[in-house]
Amino acid sequence: MYVFCIDGVYFTADDQRRVLKNYSEKPSDILFIDCAVKNENGRVVCDNPKAAEIIDEISMEIEGFTLKPDYINLNDLYAVEMSFDSRFKVNFGEFVYFEEKLAHFLKMAEDESLADKKGTVNLSQYTPQNPKAFFVKEEK
């Protein structure tokens, strides 16, 4: 289930983006997808077809995660961002090599040195030939 915002109203939607319910405030504990959308006949439709493809791909990848994704920003498809467990903000950059970037991040998150940390992971420059990521700890 996902949450979208259309004209200041929050809508929950299922995996096929069928509208389930609307709210005046964003429901907590549901993945919020921030992108340009509209409600057409009870379905959430993305203004950018590529954003819809990304949502579909992400929905297939997030099944069974140990970390709970709580936010996806698809307003700039060259700077895709996600937030996990309200602890990690992940900058994926352009939506290429997403599976590899995601696997790299999840492996990083399992590292004991990050167990109690909050911060930003930058994977925007990641490629299979350059598998680098950078973690910047959030200062309290």
Side-chain angles (χ1 to χ4, degrees), residues 8-75:
V9 177
Y10 294 93
F11 293 84
T12 52
D14 63 13
D15 288 342
Q16 287 77 42
R17 290 190 288 287
R18 290 182 296 237
V19 172
L20 303 173
K21 193 172 178 184
N22 61 342
Y23 303 84
S24 58
E25 294 184 18
K26 185 176 91 53
S28 60
D29 297 330
I30 301 174
L31 176 59
F32 176 58
I33 300 177
D34 189 3
C35 66
V37 294
K38 56 188 165 258
N39 183 345
E40 286 186 358
N41 301 319
R43 292 184 61 87
V44 175
V45 177
C46 298
D47 289 354
N48 185 331
K50 182 65 177 171
E53 290 175 30
I54 291 171
I55 292 168
D56 292 341
E57 187 168 335
I58 288 172
S59 68
M60 289 186 293
E61 295 293 329
I62 62 176
E63 295 294 317
F65 277 8
T66 53
L67 293 172
K68 183 177 188 281
D70 44 34
Y71 177 75
I72 301 173
N73 183 339
L74 297 175
N75 288 304

Side-chain angles (χ1 to χ4, degrees), residues 1-136:
M1 185 177 338
Y2 309 109
V3 173
F4 295 90
C5 185
I6 303 170
D7 297 327
V9 177
Y10 294 93
F11 293 84
T12 52
D14 63 13
D15 288 342
Q16 287 77 42
R17 290 190 288 287
R18 290 182 296 237
V19 172
L20 303 173
K21 193 172 178 184
N22 61 342
Y23 303 84
S24 58
E25 294 184 18
K26 185 176 91 53
S28 60
D29 297 330
I30 301 174
L31 176 59
F32 176 58
I33 300 177
D34 189 3
C35 66
V37 294
K38 56 188 165 258
N39 183 345
E40 286 186 358
N41 301 319
R43 292 184 61 87
V44 175
V45 177
C46 298
D47 289 354
N48 185 331
K50 182 65 177 171
E53 290 175 30
I54 291 171
I55 292 168
D56 292 341
E57 187 168 335
I58 288 172
S59 68
M60 289 186 293
E61 295 293 329
I62 62 176
E63 295 294 317
F65 277 8
T66 53
L67 293 172
K68 183 177 188 281
D70 44 34
Y71 177 75
I72 301 173
N73 183 339
L74 297 175
N75 288 304
D76 180 351
L77 299 182
Y78 293 99
V80 174
E81 294 178 337
M82 290 181 74
S83 172
F84 294 83
D85 284 349
S86 299
R87 286 183 42 219
F88 295 111
K89 177 181 169 187
V90 182
N91 176 0
F92 288 100
E94 189 175 358
F95 198 80
V96 293
Y97 308 116
F98 180 72
E99 283 184 47
E100 294 91 341
K101 289 177 181 180
L102 187 59
H104 192 84
F105 162 67
L106 292 172
K107 187 174 181 182
M108 286 177 70
E110 290 173 358
D111 188 318
E112 288 183 23
S113 66
L114 297 181
D116 60 346
K117 305 244 181 343
K118 279 179 95 168
T120 300
V121 176
N122 187 336
L123 288 160
S124 62
Q125 301 301 311
Y126 180 100
T127 67
Q129 298 77 27
N130 181 35
K132 298 198 185 217
F134 305 95
F135 176 73
V136 178

